[in-house]
Amino acid sequence: MLFANRRLRFRLNTQVLVFALVLVSIPWLSYRFVAESRVFMIEGQTQAQEQLARGIVTLFQGRDDLLAELPYLDSQQVVFSHPLTGQAKVDGYTNEWLDFQLFANHFGSGDDSEDGYSLLLGEKDDRIFGLVRIQDDKTVLRTKGAPNLDASDHLRLTMPDRNGNERRLVIVATQAGVMEVWYVKEDWATPQYRSPSSSFIIQAVMRPLVDGYLVEFALPKYFLNQRQEFGLAVADVDGEDGSMRHLKTLVGADTTIESHFNLLAMRAPEANKILSSLSRSDSQVVIYDNNLQVRASVGQVSPAKSEKVKPEDFLEGIQSWLNRGLDWFIAIPDYLNPVQAASQERDLLNRALDKKFASGRWHKGPAEQIFAVAAPIVDQEGELLGVVLIKQSTAQILGLQRQAMENIALLSLSTMLAILLVLLLFSWRQAMRIRRLGREAQQIVDPDGRLRTDQLYNEIRAGDEIGDLARSFSSVVARLHEHQEFMSTMPRTLRHEVNNPLNATMTSLENLQMLGVEEGQQRYIDSAQRGLVKISGIVEKLADAANLEAALHEDELEPLDLLHLLQTYVHHQNPSIRGGAADVVFEADQQSVLVAGVDYRIEQLLDKLLDNARDFRASGSLVKVRLYQQDYDCYLEVENTGPSIPPDLMAGMFNSMVSARAAGAGHAHFGLGLYIVRLISQFHGGSVTAHNLRQPEGVMFRVKLPILLV
């Protein structure tokens, strides 16, 4: 039963909180949608990768000539040469190279963008042509007859011959135009022969440029071995003493030209088109021969990662924090290390060597998944020519997912903040309206429980539910006020209506008595007259109590010497002047106490207090009236010995219709005396309280009134 009475109370703020929790679930649902979309996109990417593998197999199927054109890559860097058409001359001009400018290979030795060179290679009539554009802010030419060849700017060529011996060449210029080509020893400074190579075998021309110089050379193709390996480096000498500033190689600053050779591969037009069409930003296509030697590799699996920059402002900091949170959602655990990934690739390739289509997937990192497809390449007779391996990353899909998640998160966050702000403002406004309506409802009732007004003024013009509530409550207040007005006029109406039959009855009894009655009937007439007097007194008391508050509003407060008033009042109350004993004692320690009041209302207050004290005092005891002043207030006390006030009556004894007298005793009492005392006290700006006394037992009523400051 106790549990049934304890009902849950969902306040307005609780409802807003529940609604906010519902809003929080929206981003989670959006994330689930994006996650499912990622799975769908990955499956689509897998199918597209398989179709691409089948297409590549179809392109190379039966085309052993195309596979033969592809070089052996191994771990070396390939520099492709281009077929030159028309007349090829070594003259330092680029007319025959115009169609291949976009395919130039750019090399350098460091972070300095102004310190590098570009290389273009071409083939025509069993000769290899090269065009090198060097960036150099200071070109140092060789002094003719100088013993060392490395004291000036020069090019270094190294080419292993078919017997495995290395051939070292230095191309150096003494002036713009034709350059000298020297066979040198291992130190690259000492000539191997006394004179340079014949220009009929190796040709080289230098032409100065604004930001450096250009070198065009040609040499026989038989200088290269079967793998067509060669090495090229550009020596930049800036010091007057012949000190070298940089040695720019084709393979990087940490690799010497003697320890690493580049592969020269002829790029045929058809193979060029096929390879260029296979290039993708997020996938890698690797072509193997039937011995699993790499013949071509296009594209890269993972795009280059951008460097992380430190957030510069508050918004970028929020974006970085959001990215870390999204990484936690999107991250894929249990990824393979490079050795395990290589083992996976080897397994796919071995299955492809058995002329089977193989596919697999693994996680390269916490936020990247690799798809791999291996397909065999066969000829017309079904013999295995090679294997195509396609590896593709989900980095692009994950990037799109990250972007979508960022947009969803930012949009959801901003939307939720806006909605929550609106809800908070709405709930705050509604709560303020309800509180304002509650305060007004509390203020329309005075401490006595009576209505002060007949309507409400707040929210009665509002068109929502709160306005309906205010209007309904205002209508109830109006009806209650009307009933209160009716009840306040009821005593006066009753006095008028009751007095008429009472007067008629009294007159009839008097006339009956004058006509004469028997001796035994006189006592009945006397009893009837006493009853009528009581009824008349009751009606008068009810009317006086009802009219008192209205009468108080018509009275005007005036300066009044309360001490003189009490002395005069107590003097007239004592019956000693008529030969009786005095029953009221007055005590005061002041010369004069001025208050703002109405004298006859103070006397009316004293009448009620003395009547109450006389009714409840012990037989033969005195009633004490005391007056004293403290600070800015004066206190009027009426004290009597006798029974104490019951505790259950103490709280409401100053309300109307509350009485401690026994029913049927002597006169009729309706509990209006102390109620009138409270009204008169409040009218004078004071208050009244009751206190039980212990030694001796008794009751004291204390009236506090503010003194008048002159």
Side-chain angles (χ1 to χ4, degrees), residues 402-632:
R402 177 188 295 275
Q403 185 65 35
M405 286 296 298
E406 290 179 2
N407 295 335
I408 290 175
L410 290 176
L411 181 60
S412 300
L413 182 61
S414 58
T415 303
M416 284 193 300
L417 289 178
I419 293 177
L420 288 177
L421 180 61
V422 172
L423 286 178
L424 288 177
L425 291 176
F426 174 76
S427 62
W428 175 81
R429 180 175 178 272
Q430 297 297 92
M432 289 298 296
R433 293 173 60 191
I434 294 174
R435 291 193 186 98
R436 186 166 58 245
L437 186 60
R439 287 195 300 268
E440 185 182 12
Q442 292 178 350
Q443 293 173 358
I444 63 175
V445 180
D446 61 8
D448 301 329
R450 289 176 297 180
L451 295 174
R452 294 173 176 172
T453 181
D454 60 346
Q455 64 175 349
L456 297 180
Y457 297 95
N458 290 322
E459 306 299 335
I460 60 174
R461 292 184 175 85
D464 55 0
E465 288 78 2
I466 297 179
D468 296 338
L469 176 62
R471 286 187 289 271
S472 300
F473 193 47
S474 180
S475 177
V476 172
V477 170
R479 291 196 295 271
L480 289 176
H481 189 271
E482 183 179 355
H483 179 70
Q484 178 179 288
E485 291 294 327
F486 169 75
M487 294 301 295
S488 63
T489 59
M490 179 63 70
R492 292 191 294 270
T493 304
L494 287 177
R495 182 176 61 179
H496 176 71
E497 297 296 333
V498 172
N499 282 337
N500 291 333
L502 284 178
N503 293 332
T505 305
M506 287 289 291
T507 303
S508 298
L509 290 175
E510 291 176 356
N511 293 333
L512 181 62
Q513 189 175 9
M514 292 175 62
L515 292 176
V517 293
E518 297 180 359
E519 182 178 355
Q521 295 178 346
Q522 181 62 40
R523 65 175 180 272
Y524 298 111
I525 295 177
D526 295 338
S527 177
Q529 289 178 342
R530 288 195 299 270
L532 293 178
V533 171
K534 289 182 180 180
I535 294 175
S536 178
I538 292 172
V539 174
E540 291 296 331
K541 289 180 179 180
L542 291 175
D544 291 341
N547 296 331
L548 177 61
E549 186 175 0
L552 287 175
H553 289 293
E554 299 178 357
D555 293 338
E556 294 184 3
L557 298 177
E558 297 178 352
L560 177 65
D561 187 353
L562 186 59
L563 178 61
H564 177 71
L565 175 65
L566 291 179
Q567 289 175 344
T568 305
Y569 177 82
V570 172
H571 177 73
H572 288 89
Q573 286 293 319
N574 286 322
S576 59
I577 58 174
R578 296 186 297 272
D583 61 347
V584 180
V585 178
F586 177 67
E587 299 176 358
D589 56 358
Q590 302 292 124
Q591 297 297 326
S592 176
V593 177
L594 292 179
V595 296
V598 180
D599 52 0
Y600 66 90
R601 293 301 179 187
I602 298 295
E603 291 178 355
Q604 187 177 6
L605 178 145
L606 290 171
D607 289 340
K608 302 302 181 183
L609 290 178
L610 288 179
D611 290 342
N612 187 78
R614 286 173 175 145
D615 291 342
F616 290 94
R617 68 176 177 175
S619 178
S621 63
L622 298 177
V623 177
K624 296 180 182 180
V625 178
R626 189 180 299 109
L627 177 66
Y628 60 93
Q629 178 179 343
Q630 287 184 357
D631 297 330
Y632 300 104

Side-chain angles (χ1 to χ4, degrees), residues 354-375:
D354 295 336
K355 300 180 183 180
K356 297 179 181 178
F357 193 92
S359 62
R361 66 178 65 184
W362 60 87
H363 299 298
K364 182 179 179 182
E368 185 176 8
Q369 190 176 15
I370 302 298
F371 300 135
V373 176

